[in-house]
């Protein structure tokens, strides 16, 4: 009986370490995918957008409007226009929470609108993105943005 208890404790420690490592791995994978998603927006990459964004995806903007995957892909197909500044994105204060096959990222996304390499304007928004692992791969299923005041 005395040998069973230490073995059980060791088994629990090994299992919890494996679980923590799996959570860290999922968080890293999704954060890398988040960057690829922002790159797809910047580069008008329809193929990457189609792979990263789930078919049932919706994004809710600060004004309450909602956009679907189909609408996002359609907007990528339209040319950005010469007069329109191109957006560049980066994230800050990212926090990942892992719940099995679901990862929720929260943080701040900073959008810089540039023309000829010069920043024309800048905006910050808080975001919550929800990723789900389906058929062995992560996809974003929902996003919500709210306005954030510049620091």
């Amino acid at each position: 009986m005395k040998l069973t208890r230490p073995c059980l404790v060791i088994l629990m420690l090994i299992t919890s370490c494996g679980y923590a490592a799996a959570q860290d791995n999922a968080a890293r994978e999704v954060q890398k995918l988040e960057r690829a998603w922002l790159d797809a927006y910047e580069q008008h990459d329809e193929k990457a957008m189609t792979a990263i964004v789930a078919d049932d995806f919706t994004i809710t903007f600060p004004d309450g409007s909602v956009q679907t995957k189909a609408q996002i892909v359609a907007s990528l197909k339209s040319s950005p226009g010469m007069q329109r500044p191109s957006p560049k994105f980066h994230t800050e204060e990212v926090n990942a929470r892992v719940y099995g096959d679901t990862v929720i990222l929260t943080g701040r996304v900073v959008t810089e609108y540039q023309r000829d390499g010069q920043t024309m304007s800048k905006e910050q928004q808080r975001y919550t993105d929800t990723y789900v692992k389906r058929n062995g791969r992560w996809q974003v299923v929902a996003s919500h943005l709210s306005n954030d005041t510049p620091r």
Side-chain angles (χ1 to χ4, degrees):
M1 201 65 147
K2 290 182 182 180
L3 290 178
T4 305
R5 208 171 282 177
C7 289
L8 182 59
V9 169
I10 290 170
L11 182 60
M12 287 174 54
L13 286 171
I14 291 170
T15 302
S16 66
C17 289
Y19 179 73
Q23 283 190 314
D24 288 346
N25 188 45
R28 277 192 303 277
E29 282 182 46
V30 168
Q31 286 176 317
K32 185 177 176 183
L33 188 60
E34 180 100 328
R35 181 64 250 172
W37 184 27
L38 295 174
D39 291 343
Y41 270 113
E42 289 178 8
Q43 299 162 10
H44 292 263
D45 186 341
E46 181 184 344
K47 184 177 178 182
M49 188 67 71
T50 299
I52 296 166
V53 177
D55 290 340
D56 57 342
F57 172 83
T58 57
I59 184 170
T60 304
F61 294 96
D63 66 0
S65 63
V66 176
Q67 200 174 36
T68 64
K69 176 181 181 174
Q71 291 168 318
I72 291 168
V73 171
S75 73
L76 292 180
K77 291 179 182 179
S78 65
S79 69
M82 298 301 282
Q83 299 302 318
R84 229 168 119 201
S86 59
K88 299 293 179 196
F89 304 99
H90 71 271
T91 56
E92 301 173 344
E93 300 175 17
V94 178
N95 182 31
R97 292 176 293 168
V98 180
Y99 304 98
D101 286 343
T102 302
V103 176
I104 299 173
L105 294 183
T106 58
R108 175 184 289 120
V109 62
V110 179
T111 307
E112 291 186 37
Y113 295 96
Q114 299 180 350
R115 184 178 294 134
D116 301 323
Q118 299 293 320
T119 299
M120 307 302 291
S121 65
K122 186 175 178 178
E123 64 183 36
Q124 298 181 75
Q125 295 172 319
R126 288 285 177 180
Y127 72 91
T128 302
D129 291 341
T130 304
Y131 287 80
V132 175
K133 194 169 199 176
R134 294 176 172 165
N135 300 318
R137 67 187 179 106
W138 292 102
Q139 287 190 301
V140 61
V141 296
S143 183
H144 187 272
L145 298 167
S146 60
N147 290 326
D148 190 21
T149 55
R151 288 184 268 155

